[in-house]
Amino acid sequence: MTDSASETLIQLGRLVEVMHTLRLKCPWDAQQTHESLMTYLIEETCEVIEAVENGSDEELVEELGDLLLQVFFHAEIASESEAFTLADVAQQVSDKLIARHPYIYSAASVPDDVWESWEIKKKAEKQRESAVDGIPDTLSALARANKAVTRIRTHRVDVDLADEPIVAEEVGQAILDIVARAQAQHIDPEQALRYAVRALETAAREAEQQQLRS
């Protein structure tokens, strides 16, 4: 395998041409929309995760390629209506990465907490009023809980959060035990957690408002 910049550009350009040809000549590809591709985007993302956890480098190359195809597919669809192009997508993410790394692309010093610096810049860019704004509703309850807790801690929102030491094996078993106990009582653990996360997000917003007033 090669990792030269020129070969990378050649292969990415080739994929652009392949995607363009398929949209013109393949009946199935031609009828796809952003909405119809959603299921494949989710599926390919899950297959990348599986390849990382259980697969070989060859499998990861294949699955990353399938995921990359989804990005190119969506960009090709958008370009047909002149909404945006693949170049717009690449430019936007490059601009964002440069803006959020001033300690690399300018004379700024490296922050003590790089992740906190990233999150603060992101909140300012998106003009969010709360640290928990912008968390996708489509995330699973567990993923949303992790995101909300991470945001609350990173932005130092004055909300009580458990922080007793725990190891990964204990986390997995504790969650599994809670799911089993919930099932025994005919409780949907996903929905129960979703309610709890919403309550946490409400408490965070109230704490932020209190901090602003004080």
Side-chain angles (χ1 to χ4, degrees):
M1 291 186 179
T2 180
D3 61 356
S4 70
S6 60
E7 179 63 20
T8 298
L9 291 174
I10 289 171
Q11 294 303 329
L12 291 175
R14 181 179 178 219
L15 182 53
V16 169
E17 292 301 320
V18 169
M19 192 67 258
H20 185 66
T21 299
L22 292 179
R23 282 288 287 179
L24 291 174
K25 297 183 178 181
C26 174
W28 186 88
D29 289 293
Q31 69 181 5
Q32 299 311 306
T33 65
H34 292 307
E35 291 75 17
S36 71
L37 291 174
M38 285 297 94
T39 183
Y40 303 105
L41 179 59
I42 295 169
E43 179 181 330
E44 301 302 351
T45 301
C46 292
E47 289 181 359
V48 168
I49 294 171
E50 185 173 349
V52 169
E53 293 179 342
N54 304 311
S56 63
D57 287 342
E58 289 76 14
E59 290 172 316
L60 183 56
V61 167
E62 179 181 357
E63 299 306 340
L64 285 172
D66 291 342
L67 185 58
L68 182 63
L69 169 61
Q70 295 302 309
V71 176
F72 276 60
F73 210 150
H74 282 281
E76 178 67 22
I77 291 171
S79 69
E80 292 166 1
S81 62
E82 299 184 349
F84 60 85
T85 66
L86 185 65
D88 295 324
V89 174
Q91 179 181 0
Q92 194 275 341
V93 71
S94 293
D95 289 346
K96 177 168 63 177
L97 289 172
I98 291 170
R100 293 186 188 173
H101 291 83
Y103 48 91
I104 294 177
Y105 293 97
S106 73
S109 58
V110 178
D112 294 332
D113 189 326
V114 174
W115 180 256
E116 179 180 359
S117 173
W118 173 281
E119 284 292 325
I120 290 173
K121 287 183 180 298
K122 184 176 180 179
K123 181 183 177 184
E125 287 171 9
K126 296 183 178 294
Q127 299 181 328
R128 290 172 176 163
E129 296 182 357
S130 171
V132 294
D133 285 348
I135 300 177
D137 290 333
T138 51
L139 286 177
S140 69
L142 184 58
R144 186 180 181 116
N146 184 60
K147 192 72 172 178
V149 168
T150 299
R151 293 266 194 90
I152 289 168
R153 279 212 169 103
T154 300
H155 290 272
R156 306 177 191 275
V157 182
D158 188 16
V159 173
D160 289 332
L161 295 170
D163 60 0
E164 296 82 0
I166 192 169
V167 298
E169 292 78 6
E170 291 178 294
V171 172
Q173 189 59 55
I175 293 173
L176 184 58
D177 289 345
I178 287 292
V179 171
R181 290 171 59 190
Q183 191 280 331
Q185 300 300 319
H186 308 289
I187 296 170
D188 181 348
E190 174 80 9
Q191 190 59 58
L193 180 56
R194 192 169 294 279
Y195 286 142
V197 173
R198 287 174 181 165
L200 175 63
E201 292 173 344
T202 297
R205 290 188 174 94
E206 291 174 351
E208 288 169 322
Q209 291 301 313
Q210 181 62 36
Q211 287 172 318
L212 288 175
R213 289 192 294 268
S214 61

